[in-house]
């Protein structure tokens, strides 16, 4: 059990972190996740941290790295399920989750990603994908 | 980290098992899961076991128990992500996963549950929910 599963659900990948993060597991997760983003072509990654009692600087950095890698591969990252105590500790420790969006739970995370994707496509001028995903077609003609 | 997260996604609950199952964790999961089925009113539970290297009789019994509890609460259970080696061992050990449906991955599990739900509603004569969920309306008039 040295691997964190990456689950594909619709246009998202879901990762539920339940084990203590060690170097090897974190590296493996980064590799697995980037492989899956490329092989599935999804545009969103949801990382659930409901099970985490604490987010220290190592975990914070890992989340930022994953978000940055995903971004390069054209996928947004949302961290969901953060416990109130974890949020308090994060702020007290002065840790900022750079470049990471958060949402209360998986469903809100999915909404956030869907909205972000729609806006991005609109900004890009509405390509084929925008039409296919049911965008309202307010594409700016270039 | 003594609790396995139960994530709500649409009309399903998703549980990704990544830790070694001990008595206490298994009991906690059964409790959390039944609470969430009741509080959310979902009709499907997906249990992902991608991370499990082995499914022994204890885990097999736990999965059967969860499926039975969910069934009583009007929710179907699907186990997804079983590794080939796990399937081989299960059969070799003569363990049958009683009352448990399986699917290859989360997405197929969701399809299976959606189809099962649709058939159940049709069998029941098509109530309001069938209309709301976009059933094709071939309800038998009673």
């Amino acid at each position: 059990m040295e691997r964190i599963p990456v689950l594909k659900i619709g246009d998202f990948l879901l990762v539920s972190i339940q084990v203590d993060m060690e170097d090897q597991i974190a590296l493996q997760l980064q590799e697995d996740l980037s492989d899956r983003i490329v092989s599935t072509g999804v545009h969103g990654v949801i990382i659930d941290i409901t099970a985490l009692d604490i987010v220290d600087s190592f975990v914070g950095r890992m989340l930022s790295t994953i978000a940055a890698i995903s971004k390069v591969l054209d996928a947004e990252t949302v961290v969901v399920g953060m416990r109130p105590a974890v949020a308090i500790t994060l702020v007290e420790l002065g840790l900022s989750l750079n470049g990471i969006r958060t949402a209360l739970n998986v469903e809100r995370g999915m909404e956030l990603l869907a909205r972000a994707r729609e806006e991005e496509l609109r900004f890009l001028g509405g390509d084929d994908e925008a039409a296919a995903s049911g965008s309202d077609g307010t594409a700016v003609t270039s």
Side-chain angles (χ1 to χ4, degrees), chain A residues 8-13 40-45 110 113-114 117 129:
Chain A
K8 180 169 181 292
I9 300 173
D11 191 32
F12 311 103
L13 293 180
T40 59
V42 300
H43 294 292
V45 173
M110 288 169 84
L113 287 176
R117 181 70 191 153
E129 271 189 90

Side-chain angles (χ1 to χ4, degrees), chain A residues 21-118:
Chain A
M21 273 292 145
E22 291 154 26
D23 270 11
Q24 202 45 52
I25 297 182
L27 287 175
Q28 187 68 56
L29 176 60
Q30 284 172 19
E31 202 179 311
D32 289 347
L33 196 53
S34 15
D35 283 350
R36 286 297 293 278
I37 292 174
V38 172
S39 66
T40 59
V42 300
H43 294 292
V45 173
I46 297 176
I47 301 180
D48 169 66
I49 58 168
T50 316
L52 296 189
D53 286 324
I54 191 158
V55 172
D56 56 16
S57 60
F58 176 72
V59 174
R61 207 163 48 238
M62 183 207 65
L63 294 174
S64 293
T65 308
I66 285 179
I69 295 172
S70 305
K71 190 73 200 160
V72 178
L73 297 171
D74 195 21
E76 283 290 331
T77 302
V78 180
V79 170
V80 306
M82 189 183 292
R83 296 193 196 174
V86 170
I88 293 169
T89 315
L90 265 183
V91 172
E92 281 178 352
L93 290 177
L95 292 176
S96 61
L97 297 177
N98 280 327
I100 299 178
R101 296 170 192 230
T102 54
L104 206 59
N105 53 41
V106 175
E107 289 190 319
R108 295 211 186 167
M110 288 169 84
E111 283 167 24
L112 182 71
L113 287 176
R115 258 205 319 277
R117 181 70 191 153
E118 215 172 277

